[in-house]
Amino acid sequence: MIKQFFKFLLESVLPRRCRKCGQILTEEGELCEHCLSELNFIYPPYCRKCGYPLTNENVNSKMLCASCLSKKRTPFRLIRSALYYDEASKNLILAFKFMDKTENAHLLAAMLKVAAEDIFAKGVDVIIPVPLHYSRLLKRKYNQSALLAKELGKYSGIKVDYTSLVRHKKTKPQVEFSGHERIKNVKDVFSVAHPGNLVGKRILLVDDVLTTGSTLKECALALKKAGVLSVDAVTVARVCG
Ligand SMILES: [Zn+2]
Ligand SMILES: [Zn+2]
């Protein structure tokens, strides 16, 4: 009875609100029913290697996408994403990235945890966020990927390493480029400080959105060069063209 009363008191003082639209929540959870129903989660079938969604037409017995079937070289063991990148997920992520809605990290990391289930099953030793260049970090005050990694570390109990992977060159934001230019823009911008710390380790890279994958790929190549055992990646959302 007393517990109920306190719960009521607490709720009346601090109503819990939907992380996306701000509406007061009457039930457990982080999002209201409407905002939750708007999000498009990536469910199976998807490529068992890179996580790209497979449609009924291109689903095959190997459960691989065309790119993975053709054995295109990739530095990744597995890649997974929680959501399709669309208007709904975009708003959730942009608010997190630019409007200081850092409390959303908790919710987004919960999605990462679910999406990365296969990756955690294979084993992860260290979680590493995609780093920002220090000049952009000063401007934006926080690295959204680092916040996601921190929360994911709490959920999974796995160590987060914020300093070993370094973005040593300043680049223009990837949104300003397309296709091949994106690959060029991030070429050789990442390096590993103190590679000894990561030798033989299984790394999970964390980022907010996977677009063409060129940033994550450059990170993975730098890590591989430093002698890690494997690299996986998980993102909140993924552009599926
Ligand atoms: Zn809502
Ligand atoms: Zn694939």
Side-chain angles (χ1 to χ4, degrees):
M1 218 28 209
I2 289 172
K3 206 176 147 200
Q4 283 297 319
F5 177 71
F6 269 106
K7 198 171 168 242
F8 170 77
L9 205 69
L10 205 65
E11 272 169 0
S12 58
V13 181
L14 284 172
R16 291 172 356 93
R17 291 175 181 274
C18 172
R19 296 274 188 204
K20 191 152 170 280
C21 71
Q23 186 184 296
I24 292 175
L25 295 173
T26 51
E27 287 179 31
E28 290 292 309
E30 305 266 337
L31 292 170
C32 74
E33 225 168 283
H34 173 75
C35 289
L36 194 62
S37 72
E38 262 188 357
L39 292 175
N40 290 305
F41 290 89
I42 299 178
Y43 291 117
Y46 47 69
C47 174
R48 65 181 161 82
K49 205 161 178 336
C50 76
Y52 194 85
L54 298 172
T55 58
N56 287 334
E57 294 89 68
N58 64 18
V59 69
N60 49 65
S61 60
K62 288 194 171 142
M63 295 306 280
L64 291 171
C65 70
S67 168
C68 293
L69 263 178
S70 71
K71 298 203 176 95
K72 238 169 121 179
R73 275 175 68 90
T74 162
F76 292 104
R77 190 170 62 168
L78 299 177
I79 303 175
R80 294 290 183 267
S81 305
L83 300 165
Y84 286 89
Y85 191 66
D86 55 17
E87 278 306 307
S89 64
K90 188 173 147 188
N91 291 337
L92 196 64
I93 291 166
L94 284 182
F96 168 58
K97 207 164 174 171
F98 298 111
M99 287 155 66
D100 285 344
K101 286 211 172 184
T102 50
E103 71 272 14
N104 280 6
H106 192 66
L107 165 68
L108 300 179
M111 293 181 188
L112 290 178
K113 174 81 179 11
V114 175
E117 211 187 320
D118 296 347
I119 296 172
F120 286 119
K122 280 202 172 243
V124 175
D125 301 309
V126 185
I127 295 172
I128 297 185
V130 169
L132 283 180
H133 191 257
Y134 72 90
S135 60
R136 189 159 296 139
L137 191 62
L138 283 178
K139 219 163 93 187
R140 208 186 278 160
K141 295 193 289 272
Y142 61 91
N143 172 3
Q144 74 282 359
S145 302
L147 289 181
L148 292 173
K150 185 180 168 196
E151 293 298 319
L152 187 60
K154 280 193 219 159
Y155 277 127
S156 60
I158 293 165
K159 190 184 133 197
V160 184
D161 181 330
Y162 303 97
T163 53
S164 291
L165 186 63
V166 182
R167 189 187 284 250
H168 61 251
K169 256 191 243 168
K170 197 180 167 190
T171 53
K172 289 193 171 156
Q174 286 287 73
V175 288
E176 292 178 20
F177 300 99
S178 62
H180 243 75
E181 286 187 303
R182 281 183 174 239
I183 300 174
K184 244 170 69 189
N185 187 43
V186 292
K187 190 104 195 102
D188 297 324
V189 308
F190 299 100
S191 57
V192 174
H194 326 295
N197 296 343
L198 298 179
V199 171
K201 296 277 193 325
R202 296 164 297 179
I203 311 297
L204 174 56
L205 278 169
V206 173
D207 207 357
D208 51 0
V209 183
L210 190 162
T211 307
T212 61
S214 33
T215 303
L216 280 169
K217 193 175 172 189
E218 280 302 311
C219 289
L221 289 172
L223 289 165
K224 282 274 174 135
K225 220 167 116 186
V228 305
L229 182 64
S230 62
V231 184
D232 300 304
V234 66
T235 68
V236 175
R238 176 172 192 153
V239 176
C240 299

